[in-house]
């Protein structure tokens, strides 16, 4: 299976390269005749007429041109550790250019501005409320590059009207090739706090979240981000600072196996009364969490008790919520702190009253 996955990745890379070549071929065929393509040794001249209001004895002419067969995409490497110190985030540019001309000792600037996008303001149309099917899911795209060389360079960041520009402070050579060249733009130190999200009813895993405070000072852009925890790759996520409206940027850092979680449900046998038309069942939820790491951890634990809509014959009565906050949907939330090797035991208890002949799914 490992070999098949590796071959599939290679096949995907080759397919992308093939598409890029086909696109380049179409560009050449559209812009140049077959006669021109068959005789690449010829030189061609662009004639420019310049008019001036007054005589100029000597002038220097600078020119620029647009190359469409080149592109770049940003990617971050976030390196964090369990001690919440020495954390770093590095921005890298994966660049390729297919201009058929090597760029030798050039100055580069990387911009994330979306130039040429549709600038027309969309119009709101009448909103008709219809019944829609419930569709869950998402499409995840991942860009992989063949890194042939890593370049490190200090850079300057400027903010324009439509985005940010990253300017390299040294010259660099980029050959015309399908291979991506990875250029390290900058590396910044981070102050990170950690929090674990635990939902024992759904999974016995503890999900680590990295909280980046004051992220606005880091000049972050929207990009894919690879996360490394204690020098081990854990996950890939996406940084979306353009959509973040809080002072804290929350990133998933993977599952920590050192936090053990267990959940058990105990239910009493429904009490039957000959003279009553209702049954009573007591439910106890036993949640046990143990911190097997060597660090004190902050936990946010979520569970739930049932809620009833539009049925007055069914009554749910909380008996013991262990100090949890509860919302209108019956979601219970605890915020706890566990020292190394410490256990946490939560025993939630509630009672359900319901008519005879009714089947309830109680936790």
């Amino acid at each position: 299976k490992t070999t098949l996955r590796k071959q599939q990745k290679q096949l995907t890379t080759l397919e992308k390269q093939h598409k890029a070549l086909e696109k380049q071929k179409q560009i050449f065929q559209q812009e140049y005749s077959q006669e021109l393509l068959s005789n690449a040794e010829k030189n061609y001249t662009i004639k420019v007429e310049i008019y001036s209001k007054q005589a100029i004895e000597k002038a220097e002419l600078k020119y620029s041109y647009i190359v469409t067969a080149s592109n770049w995409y940003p990617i971050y490497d976030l390196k964090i550790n369990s001690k919440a110190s020495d954390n770093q985030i590095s921005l890298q540019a994966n660049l390729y250019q297919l201009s058929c001309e090597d760029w030798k000792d050039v100055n580069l600037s990387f911009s994330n501005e979306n130039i040429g996008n549709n600038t027309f303001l969309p119009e709101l149309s009448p909103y008709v409320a219809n019944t829609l099917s419930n569709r869950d899911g998402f499409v995840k795209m991942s860009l992989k590059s063949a890194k042939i060389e890593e370049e490190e360079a200090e850079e300057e960041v400027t903010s324009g009207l439509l985005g940010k520009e990253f300017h390299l402070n040294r010259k660099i050579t980029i050959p015309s090739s399908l291979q991506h060249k990875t250029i390290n733009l900058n590396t910044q130190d981070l102050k990170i706090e950690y929090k674990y999200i635990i939902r024992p009813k759904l999974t016995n895993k503890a999900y680590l979240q990295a909280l980046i405070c004051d992220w606005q000072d880091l000049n972050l852009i929207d990009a894919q981000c690879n996360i490394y925890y204690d020098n081990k790759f854990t996950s890939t996520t996406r940084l979306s600072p353009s959509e973040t409206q809080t002072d804290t940027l929350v990133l998933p850092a993977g599952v920590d196996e050192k936090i053990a979680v267990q959940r058990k449900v105990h239910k009493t046998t429904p009490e039957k009364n000959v003279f009553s038309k209702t049954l009573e069942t007591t439910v106890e939820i036993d949640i046990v969490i143990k911190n097997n790491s060597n660090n004190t951890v902050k936990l946010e634990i979520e569970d739930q008790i049932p809620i009833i809509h539009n049925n007055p014959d069914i009554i749910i009565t909380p008996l013991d919520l262990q100090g949890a906050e509860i919302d209108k949907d019956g979601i219970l939330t605890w915020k706890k702190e566990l020292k190394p090797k410490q256990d946490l035991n939560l025993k939630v208890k509630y009672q359900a009253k319901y008519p005879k002949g009714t089947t309830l799914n109680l936790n």
Side-chain angles (χ1 to χ4, degrees):
K1 290 183 179 179
T2 301
T3 303
L4 288 175
R5 285 195 295 267
K6 183 177 180 180
Q7 291 178 348
Q8 184 61 42
K9 287 183 179 180
Q10 293 175 347
L11 179 60
T12 302
T13 301
L14 290 173
E15 288 176 348
K16 290 181 179 179
Q17 294 176 354
H18 179 261
K19 289 181 180 179
L21 283 173
E22 286 291 337
K23 184 176 180 180
Q24 181 69 9
K25 176 183 175 182
Q26 292 175 3
I27 293 174
F28 276 18
Q29 289 178 342
Q30 291 173 1
E31 296 185 2
Y32 304 101
S33 64
Q34 292 297 325
E35 180 182 358
L36 174 60
L37 293 176
S38 62
N39 190 358
E41 298 298 327
K42 287 185 177 180
N43 294 324
Y44 291 84
T45 303
I46 298 176
K47 182 180 180 181
V48 180
E49 295 182 355
I50 300 176
Y51 297 90
S52 175
K53 292 183 179 180
Q54 59 185 7
I56 300 177
E57 295 182 359
K58 184 178 180 181
E60 180 181 355
L61 179 64
K62 295 182 179 181
Y63 65 94
S64 63
Y65 55 93
I66 296 175
V67 178
T68 58
S70 65
N71 200 2
W72 81 285
Y73 65 87
I75 188 169
Y76 283 102
D77 280 348
L78 176 61
K79 297 180 180 180
I80 58 180
N81 59 70
S82 55
K83 296 181 180 180
S85 61
D86 298 329
N87 305 297
Q88 291 184 335
I89 187 168
S90 300
L91 174 61
Q92 298 174 346
N94 285 295
L95 168 69
Y96 75 90
Q97 64 101 351
L98 300 174
S99 65
C100 296
E101 178 183 359
D102 292 343
W103 300 350
K104 296 182 179 179
D105 295 331
V106 295
N107 295 316
L108 285 181
S109 295
F110 298 88
S111 173
N112 70 332
E113 294 182 347
N114 292 321
I115 300 174
N117 279 2
N118 190 355
T119 57
F120 293 100
L121 182 65
E123 298 289 340
L124 283 173
S125 57
Y127 178 31
V128 181
N130 294 321
T131 302
L132 301 177
S133 60
N134 184 20
R135 297 176 296 176
D136 294 330
F138 61 91
V139 177
K140 181 178 180 181
M141 298 182 66
S142 177
L143 294 174
K144 301 292 184 181
S145 66
K147 297 184 178 181
I148 60 174
E149 182 180 354
E150 290 194 0
E151 297 283 351
E152 294 188 0
E154 295 183 355
E155 49 82 32
E156 296 178 355
V157 183
T158 60
S159 296
L161 181 63
L162 302 177
K164 291 183 173 62
E165 287 190 0
F166 303 87
H167 309 279
L168 293 183
N169 287 333
R170 68 181 180 87
K171 296 182 182 296
I172 194 170
T173 297
I174 308 293
S176 179
S177 171
L178 284 172
Q179 296 281 358
H180 288 152
K181 186 160 187 173
T182 301
I183 303 171
N184 187 35
L185 296 181
N186 68 357
T187 300
Q188 303 180 80
D189 294 330
L190 293 178
K191 292 183 179 179
I192 292 182
E193 296 181 1
Y194 296 121
K195 179 178 69 175
Y196 290 89
I197 303 296
I198 301 176
R199 293 170 181 162
K201 184 178 179 180
L202 303 179
T203 176
N204 61 350
K205 304 295 184 182
Y207 290 83
L208 179 63
Q209 291 186 339
L211 311 179
I212 304 177
C213 303
D214 301 327
W215 59 268
Q216 297 93 334
D217 300 331
L218 300 175
N219 284 318
L220 300 178
I221 61 177
D222 292 359
Q224 178 181 319
C225 180
N226 296 322
I227 299 178
Y228 299 85
Y229 184 61
D230 285 343
N231 295 322
K232 294 181 180 179
F233 174 78
T234 60
S235 62
T236 298
T237 185
R238 182 163 183 84
L239 284 180
S240 300
S242 64
E243 300 175 3
T244 303
Q245 300 181 356
T246 61
D247 293 335
T248 302
L249 190 63
V250 181
L251 296 177
V255 173
D256 193 341
E257 301 292 345
K258 295 187 291 295
I259 308 298
V261 182
Q262 189 178 56
R263 182 183 189 269
K264 293 183 180 180
V265 178
H266 309 280
K267 292 184 285 187
T268 62
T269 303
E271 299 180 4
K272 298 181 180 180
N273 192 322
V274 179
F275 304 100
S276 176
K277 296 181 180 180
T278 62
L279 298 176
E280 292 184 5
T281 299
T282 301
V283 180
E284 183 177 286
I285 305 170
D286 193 3
I287 300 173
V288 179
I289 301 174
K290 183 175 182 179
N291 178 17
N292 293 315
S293 70
N294 296 322
N295 304 309
T296 299
V297 297
K298 294 181 179 179
L299 308 177
E300 186 170 308
I301 308 156
E302 296 179 0
D303 212 281
Q304 63 184 160
I305 63 174
I307 57 174
I308 305 300
H309 289 299
N310 303 322
N311 193 339
D313 296 330
I314 302 177
I315 301 174
I316 302 296
T317 304
L319 301 178
D320 186 359
L321 299 183
Q322 298 283 282
E325 297 179 1
I326 183 171
D327 65 10
K328 60 182 179 61
D329 296 321
I331 303 298
L332 307 175
T333 304
W334 297 270
K335 294 182 180 179
K336 300 289 185 179
E337 188 172 281
L338 277 185
K339 295 180 179 180
K341 315 305 178 183
Q342 186 179 5
D343 293 352
L344 175 66
N345 196 340
L346 299 172
K347 293 183 180 293
V348 176
K349 187 181 294 186
Y350 67 89
Q351 185 183 71
K353 293 183 179 180
Y354 48 94
K356 291 180 179 180
T358 301
T359 301
L360 289 181
N361 182 18
L362 299 175
N363 287 86

